[in-house]
Every structure is written in structure tokens, then in C-alpha cells.
Amino acid sequence: MTKTNVMRLLDAAGIVYQAGSYEVDENDLSGSHAADLMGVDHDAMYKTLVLKGEKKGYVVCCIPVDEELDLKKVAKAAGEKKVEMIHVKDMLAVTGYIRGGCSPVGMKKQYPTYIEETAQLYDRITVSAGQRGVQVTLNPEDLRRYVEAEFVPLI
């Protein structure tokens, strides 16, 4: 497996992770499908979502793949009145990643990042390695520290 930029950044930071891959199905880019193909517990595989607030700009959230964001909880965490998901067509320009391959690690800019607090229940969680079909599994506290995130209720 070729190292992704996410893996190179984690290596440089001395963060231990395991890389994994799966066959991409362009008709089903869901995190649930990826978790099934990798044999990972859905509650321990996290998808990365990008939102925009009215005042402070972009916000990154990581939540379990089967869950949906509570926009009010995200707005509260971000200190915004209201937040909304960015459009898929804006994903690459904002983050440097495409849908199905968005990682909280190594975005174009460091955005405020929030990880669903339930991540703390696991020794390891899985997030995208920055491209479709490739994931990294790592300690949630290591991820939180690296991306300067907060554990907050998001779902």
C-alpha cells in the first residue's frame, strides 16, 4: 500500500497507526459500507464532515459512520448561531480532499475540529487516510491532540 499524505504526517508526528484498505465502490461511498468491507465496528469508524458557520467559517466534525450530526450541538461547540454542511462540490477546494476520502488530518488549513465524545470509549478509532479506500486506525486521544480537536457531543 502506498503511503498517503495523512500517513506521512502521522509518521512525522510519531503517532502510531495501522493502515487498512478496501475495494472502493463508486456507487456506495458510505462509511458504513467501508466499515463492513474492513470488518470494523461501525461505532469505532468515524467519518469526517465539513460545515460552515455564519461568523467563524469552516468547522470539521468526526462522528461514527452510522450517526448523523446534530447541527445545534455543532453550532454550540463552534460558538455559532447556525452551521450547515458544505456542498460536495466545495469539498476539494476547502479541504484538499474529495468525498469518501476526507480526513481530519492534513487538510489545506487547520480548521476548528470536533470529535464526537464517544470516541473516548475506544482504544482505537478508524478515520480516512485521505483517499478513497484507505483508512488509518489510531488512538483517539492521539488524533485529538494532533488536529487540536475537542471531544464534544455532536450526535
Side-chain angles (χ1 to χ4, degrees):
M1 172 186 322
T2 306
K3 284 208 179 209
T4 66
N5 192 47
V6 168
M7 293 176 204
R8 285 188 285 278
L9 290 168
L10 294 174
D11 285 343
I15 294 175
V16 176
Y17 66 88
Q18 279 78 44
S21 63
Y22 61 93
E23 192 69 37
V24 177
D25 178 352
E26 293 294 332
N27 296 315
D28 188 352
L29 295 174
S30 72
S32 300
H33 185 65
D36 289 343
L37 291 175
M38 289 186 65
V40 174
D41 178 352
H42 287 217
D43 292 335
M45 182 175 267
Y46 281 62
K47 58 187 173 185
T48 303
L49 305 172
V50 182
L51 302 91
K52 187 167 186 187
E54 294 178 322
K55 293 191 171 103
K56 299 180 182 178
Y58 297 105
V59 176
V60 177
C61 294
C62 296
I63 64 170
V65 294
D66 289 344
E67 300 294 340
E68 289 191 25
L69 275 176
D70 181 324
L71 295 179
K72 289 182 180 176
K73 288 181 181 177
V74 176
K76 181 179 179 187
E80 294 275 6
K81 276 190 175 178
K82 180 180 165 189
V83 293
E84 58 186 31
M85 296 288 295
I86 66 168
H87 197 279
V88 172
K89 68 178 176 52
D90 298 327
M91 181 76 76
L92 183 60
V94 172
T95 67
Y97 294 123
I98 59 172
R99 178 175 177 254
C102 187
S103 178
V105 176
M107 287 193 180
K108 283 184 170 184
K109 291 183 179 176
Q110 178 73 38
Y111 299 114
T113 302
Y114 303 96
I115 301 170
E116 165 53 36
E117 64 185 2
T118 55
Q120 298 171 95
L121 300 174
Y122 298 94
D123 292 333
R124 313 190 59 66
I125 61 170
T126 302
V127 297
S128 174
Q131 67 187 47
R132 290 177 179 167
V134 186
Q135 303 280 318
V136 289
T137 302
L138 71 169
N139 179 280
E141 178 59 26
D142 289 344
L143 175 64
R144 185 204 65 74
R145 271 196 309 269
Y146 185 78
V147 299
E148 299 175 11
E150 290 179 51
F151 289 121
V152 295
L154 297 171
I155 53 177

